[in-house]
């Protein structure tokens, strides 16, 4: 995989950047798996992935961050009651499903702010916050600076 990443990074072919990003994600996940196996620990995200019901919701969230997700929709995807879903998710990850969703959205927003030329309102909508003012307040509260300041500092 590393040689493919190197080849793609140097090639400049259409789609190279996307391939490099995806392959590095795979390498990162594999490295984490090896580390966890050696440390004999199973925590957080990996515990969620291993749960067949909850892993369906993770896939849905990551494929549709812009969608309006609620606990009801996520529990339905998992085939669980809202209460059981919420309790199991928190037990496995240490956070609520909606806290996880917020975390994922803000991480994606940080990526879009640094890697794209989308405006802050466009980024806000792309990660599921149609109310731009709410997005800006949430971003500042969780990240410690406004989206514009974050973009400028990480350009």
């Amino acid at each position: 995989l590393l040689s493919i990443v190197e080849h793609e990074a140097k090639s400049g072919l259409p789609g190279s950047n996307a391939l490099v990003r995806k392959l590095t994600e795979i390498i990162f996940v594999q490295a984490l798996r090896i580390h966890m196996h050696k440390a004999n620990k199973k925590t957080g995200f990996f515990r969620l992935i291993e749960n067949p019901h909850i892993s369906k919701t993770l896939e849905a969230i990551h494929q549709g961050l812009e969608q309006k997700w609620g606990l009801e929709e996520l529990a339905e995807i998992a085939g669980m009651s809202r209460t059981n879903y919420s309790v199991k998710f928190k037990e496995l990850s240490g956070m609520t499903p909606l806290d996880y969703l917020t975390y994922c959205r803000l991480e994606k927003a940080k990526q879009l702010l640094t890697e794209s030329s989308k405006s802050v309102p466009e980024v806000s909508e792309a990660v599921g916050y149609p109310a731009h003012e709410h997005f800006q307040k949430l971003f500042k509260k969780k990240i410690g600076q406004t989206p514009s300041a974050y973009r400028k500092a990480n350009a």
Side-chain angles (χ1 to χ4, degrees), residues 38-130:
K38 287 182 178 179
N40 202 19
K41 295 181 196 172
K42 290 187 177 183
T43 58
F45 184 71
F46 288 98
R47 291 184 70 197
L48 292 174
I49 290 174
E50 289 177 345
N51 183 291
H53 300 289
I54 293 178
S55 65
K56 292 176 191 175
T57 64
L58 297 180
E59 185 177 345
I61 287 170
H62 288 275
Q63 289 181 356
L65 283 175
E66 76 288 349
Q67 292 186 34
K68 183 175 179 170
W69 293 111
L71 196 53
E72 188 70 42
E73 293 86 3
L74 295 171
E76 187 176 317
I77 291 168
M80 301 169 77
S81 73
R82 285 174 37 155
T83 303
N84 286 341
Y85 174 72
S86 191
V87 167
K88 190 65 170 174
F89 197 104
K90 177 120 185 182
E91 175 188 307
L92 294 173
S93 70
M95 64 175 72
T96 69
L98 297 181
D99 285 343
Y100 178 78
L101 175 61
T102 299
Y103 170 79
C104 291
R105 285 177 166 168
L106 292 178
E107 287 301 307
K108 182 64 175 181
K110 287 173 18 182
Q111 178 189 1
L112 290 172
L113 288 167
T114 57
E115 296 178 8
S116 79
S117 59
K118 290 184 178 197
S119 68
V120 171
E122 288 172 325
V123 169
S124 175
E125 287 185 29
V127 296
Y129 295 106

Side-chain angles (χ1 to χ4, degrees), residues 6-22:
E6 181 183 14
H7 172 74
E8 285 298 328
K10 291 178 180 176
S11 74
L13 294 170
S16 289
N17 288 340
L19 278 172
V20 168
R21 273 195 306 274
K22 294 298 180 188

